[in-house]
Amino acid sequence: MLKEKKYKFILSVFSGILLGIAFPPVPTGITAIFAFVIYFILIEDSINYGATIRYSYLTFLVFNVITLYWAGGFTHCKDLYMMIAGGLLLIAHPIFFLIPIVVWIFIRCNLGFKFAILTFPFLWIGFEYFHSSSEIGFPWLLLGNTQTYDLSIIQFASITGVYGISFWILLLSVLIFLLYQKIYSNEWKYLSIKFIFSVTGIIIIYLIPKLYGNYILRKNNFNEISKINVAVIQPNIDPFEKWTVDPDLPLDIILQQMNDIKDHDVDLIILPETAIPFYILHPNNINQFKRLKNQVDSLNISLIVGIPDIHYYSSNEIIPKSSKTSIDGDRYDTFNSSVLLQPFSNNLQKYAKIVLVPFAERVPFSETLSFLNAMEWNFGLGGWGIGKDTTVFSFITK
């Protein structure tokens, strides 16, 4: 019994590791397929809810620790609340992944393992869809995201969305596992007709999105005229200190880094989320905005930059219950936004983030249950308003 528990413990941890390293920034998306093969081996003989849930929780705990360790700011250890919230996230979030597993166990106990394993991809995709919905949605860990580094495979998302890629991963996992079962139980021999047929089928299913993607990439082989030269700047600014230092300091760094690329043939500069950590579009910060706009004009390069934005509600607007109240009694909301600045143009194109990270960027359901707003914390995060609409930025190249 002890040996079996140790064996299952190793399988759980190994499956979680393979699943975790399948996600960016590690370019090993293929391990997601084998993570579930190992997971299926783990739960193959599971007809007990308790044991299956325990080992599954361990798998998804390891997976979440690898992919979400950054959420608690543990590498900085500068904000106790953030560390506590991040730790709770790592502990609680794996519970969501147990929902399809519980349904799967029910199917396995009542309809048999083979039928249950064939339904697994459908159960998981259904879970991914609903887990990405509502204010507690968490779409960052969809299986399809593991294939980010393979441009050919992700072209398939234009037809099926990211969920189609997730399904493709799980289908391959199920087929490889069923092949393993046949070989391990000696039902099939190596190089038998059934074995060769199965391997061929798996290879074909693996290649379908790659062949399609390569076709699309070749078909849309844009010429030089259609290309846009983009410079991506990542300022080396402490994400904690940038909210408390003199606002001119991060702006100075950004302007200097923009100036460093003036001799390059660039059409667009992209800066990260909240790269400018103050309300640069607010009238009180007009001087800082002019400095940034003058730099854009001087370089003759368009700029997309992440900013916090603030909107004060007028009396004729619908004011959300979750909005904040200023010292003067005005109601307002802040947004995690981005803005496009174009040379010699006063036209500002803005986008306010719609899908916000639960708790880290917004307390879920704080509009309906306004008392939850008390959970917000004063770090520049936690209380963003929800953006109202998508924005397609447009600009003219040089």
Side-chain angles (χ1 to χ4, degrees):
M1 180 65 70
L2 183 61
K3 186 176 181 180
E4 180 183 355
K5 288 183 177 180
K6 184 178 180 180
Y7 172 70
K8 288 185 176 294
F9 176 86
I10 293 173
L11 288 179
S12 297
V13 172
F14 191 39
S15 177
I17 291 174
L18 290 180
L19 194 54
I21 65 173
F23 282 79
V26 185
T28 51
I30 194 69
T31 61
I33 297 173
F34 298 99
F36 276 95
V37 173
I38 293 173
Y39 179 72
F40 294 149
I41 296 173
L42 168 69
I43 64 174
E44 179 180 4
D45 58 353
S46 297
I47 56 175
N48 179 283
Y49 279 88
T52 306
I53 289 174
R54 284 196 299 271
Y55 288 118
S56 297
Y57 176 81
L58 177 59
T59 294
F60 300 128
L61 175 64
V62 173
F63 164 48
N64 276 258
V65 168
I66 293 174
T67 53
L68 298 179
Y69 72 91
W70 51 269
F74 302 114
T75 56
H76 299 272
C77 298
K78 291 185 177 181
D79 190 281
L80 179 60
Y81 178 90
M82 189 176 187
M83 293 172 65
I84 294 174
L88 292 175
L89 172 67
L90 296 179
I91 294 172
H93 192 241
I95 296 174
F96 285 94
F97 292 86
L98 298 179
I99 295 173
I101 304 305
V102 170
V103 177
W104 183 86
I105 299 171
F106 176 83
I107 295 174
R108 192 251 189 275
C109 292
N110 290 274
L111 298 174
F113 180 81
K114 189 170 184 179
F115 181 82
I117 201 67
L118 293 175
T119 64
F120 190 92
F122 299 94
L123 292 175
W124 191 272
I125 299 306
F127 159 71
E128 283 197 341
Y129 178 80
F130 288 108
H131 189 43
S132 301
S133 306
S134 82
E135 291 190 39
I136 59 172
F138 208 92
W140 295 271
L141 297 185
L142 299 175
L143 285 180
N145 294 340
T146 62
Q147 306 304 305
T148 303
Y149 289 97
D150 195 324
L151 291 180
S152 60
I153 288 178
I154 63 176
Q155 301 306 310
F156 206 67
S158 64
I159 300 175
T160 64
V162 66
Y163 303 106
I165 302 175
S166 296
F167 186 85
W168 171 77
I169 291 170
L170 291 168
L171 178 61
L172 285 171
S173 298
V174 168
L175 294 177
I176 293 173
F177 169 74
L178 292 175
L179 177 62
Y180 157 82
Q181 261 195 332
K182 296 296 184 181
I183 299 299
Y184 185 77
S185 63
N186 291 321
E187 289 187 46
W188 291 358
K189 300 297 182 181
Y190 288 108
L191 302 181
S192 65
I193 294 178
K194 291 183 178 180
F195 174 83
I196 295 173
F197 180 80
S198 297
V199 171
T200 302
I202 291 171
I203 293 174
I204 290 173
I205 292 174
Y206 173 76
L207 290 177
I208 285 175
K210 293 184 72 70
L211 294 173
Y212 171 80
N214 285 322
Y215 166 75
I216 293 297
L217 293 173
R218 287 194 302 270
K219 179 182 177 182
N220 297 329
N221 185 20
F222 302 107
N223 55 38
E224 291 294 328
I225 298 178
S226 303
K227 288 185 177 179
I228 298 175
N229 295 322
V230 177
V232 178
I233 295 177
Q234 176 64 61
N236 186 18
I237 303 174
D238 189 298
F240 290 83
E241 293 180 358
K242 76 174 184 179
W243 296 98
T244 56
V245 298
D246 182 347
D248 283 323
L249 177 59
L251 183 59
D252 289 341
I253 294 173
I254 288 171
L255 294 178
Q256 179 57 53
Q257 290 182 309
M258 290 176 62
N259 192 60
D260 290 341
I261 64 172
K262 63 182 179 181
D263 296 327
H264 298 271
D265 183 20
V266 174
D267 300 300
L268 176 67
I269 296 174
I270 298 180
L271 282 157
E273 187 177 32
T274 59
I276 297 177
F278 60 93
Y279 304 118
I280 194 169
L281 300 184
H282 192 280
N284 291 345
N285 297 316
I286 186 64
N287 290 332
Q288 287 90 341
F289 176 76
K290 285 182 177 179
R291 291 182 63 199
L292 181 64
K293 185 63 171 64
N294 289 339
Q295 182 78 313
V296 170
D297 293 342
S298 174
L299 296 173
N300 194 24
I301 301 174
S302 296
L303 169 70
I304 292 179
V305 57
I307 62 169
D309 196 21
I310 188 167
H311 173 75
Y312 288 92
Y313 293 101
S314 60
S315 57
N316 60 349
E317 288 184 281
I318 298 176
I319 302 176
K321 295 179 181 178
S322 58
S323 63
K324 306 174 182 66
T325 304
S326 69
I327 297 176
D328 299 327
D330 297 323
R331 299 294 292 275
Y332 70 95
D333 258 324
T334 56
F335 298 92
N336 187 357
S337 301
S338 59
V339 62
L340 170 64
L341 303 179
Q342 300 177 85
F344 313 108
S345 172
N346 294 323
N347 179 36
L348 294 179
Q349 300 178 55
K350 290 195 298 183
Y351 165 72
K353 191 173 181 181
I354 296 174
V355 181
L356 298 165
V357 181
F359 296 102
E361 292 184 323
R362 179 180 175 85
V363 178
F365 309 116
S366 56
E367 175 63 19
T368 305
L369 307 174
S370 56
F371 67 89
L372 293 176
N373 292 318
M375 298 175 64
E376 294 176 6
W377 46 296
N378 188 24
F379 178 62
L381 298 174
W384 297 118
I386 300 176
K388 301 300 186 294
D389 199 1
T390 56
T391 301
V392 178
F393 291 135
S394 61
F395 73 102
I396 300 175
T397 59
K398 293 183 291 185

